[in-house]
Amino acid sequence: MAGRFSLSNFFGVGDEEEAFDDPTTPTQPDRTAPTTNTATNGATRKVVPMQGGKSVNSKIALFEPRIYSDVKEIAAQLLKNQAVIINFDHVDDAMARRIVDFLTGTVYAINGEIERIGDEIFLCIPENYEVSGSTTAQTNPNSL
């Protein structure tokens, strides 16, 4: 193949039997071949998803219930995987206990947690939340 000039052959580092005009040798990669994710089939692409399939839409809803039926809206927020802070300033102790009992069952059903973060303030979190730290305010263990 003396008809084609090659710098590698000129400097003596190329292979003399290199086939430049061979029609069976593909010159460009085949773009019609499907590429897949290594997480699924172990093919060539190395794309690994960062999330486990759930969207990250973390929100915290604030509620100040006034009547017992407000607990339905609070539970609906928990079922949407949103954290909820509830302030019981506007209800009496008996009503607050009923609401906390209902929310304790709701939180248990979704593998979440309920925590007291103030005298009359509770935090309800779904399974995908983590709470760190603690409050410095002293809470009365006999209330609620």
Side-chain angles (χ1 to χ4, degrees):
M1 306 229 119
R4 186 156 238 204
F5 177 76
S6 171
L7 281 177
S8 58
N9 284 338
F10 180 75
F11 289 111
V13 289
D15 192 334
E16 300 251 53
E17 299 198 355
E18 196 173 328
F20 289 103
D21 295 328
D22 187 7
T24 60
T25 305
T27 57
Q28 293 181 357
D30 185 13
R31 294 178 192 219
T32 60
T35 57
T36 58
N37 191 343
T38 55
T40 57
N41 293 345
T44 58
R45 289 182 45 194
K46 295 188 180 195
V47 178
V48 179
M50 295 297 288
Q51 299 169 356
K54 290 187 176 180
S55 65
V56 179
N57 190 9
S58 302
K59 294 183 180 182
I60 298 177
L62 302 174
F63 287 96
E64 289 186 337
R66 297 185 188 276
I67 57 175
Y68 182 73
S69 63
D70 290 341
V71 77
K72 292 179 187 177
E73 188 178 352
I74 298 169
Q77 294 296 319
L78 287 168
L79 293 174
K80 293 180 194 175
N81 286 327
Q82 293 181 357
V84 177
I85 296 176
I86 306 107
N87 185 355
F88 291 106
D89 280 342
H90 301 292
V91 294
D92 61 351
D93 287 345
M95 183 71 65
R97 283 190 183 126
R98 288 183 63 200
I99 293 172
V100 168
D101 287 344
F102 186 91
L103 292 175
T104 301
T106 304
V107 167
Y108 176 79
I110 61 171
N111 294 326
E113 294 181 30
I114 185 168
E115 293 184 23
R116 177 181 286 211
I117 59 174
D119 284 337
E120 295 181 357
I121 300 173
F122 282 77
L123 171 66
C124 298
I125 55 173
E127 184 178 19
N128 57 344
Y129 281 78
E130 181 179 333
V131 177
S132 62
S134 63
T135 58
T136 58
Q138 294 290 329
T139 59
N140 184 359
N142 295 327
S143 67
L144 293 182

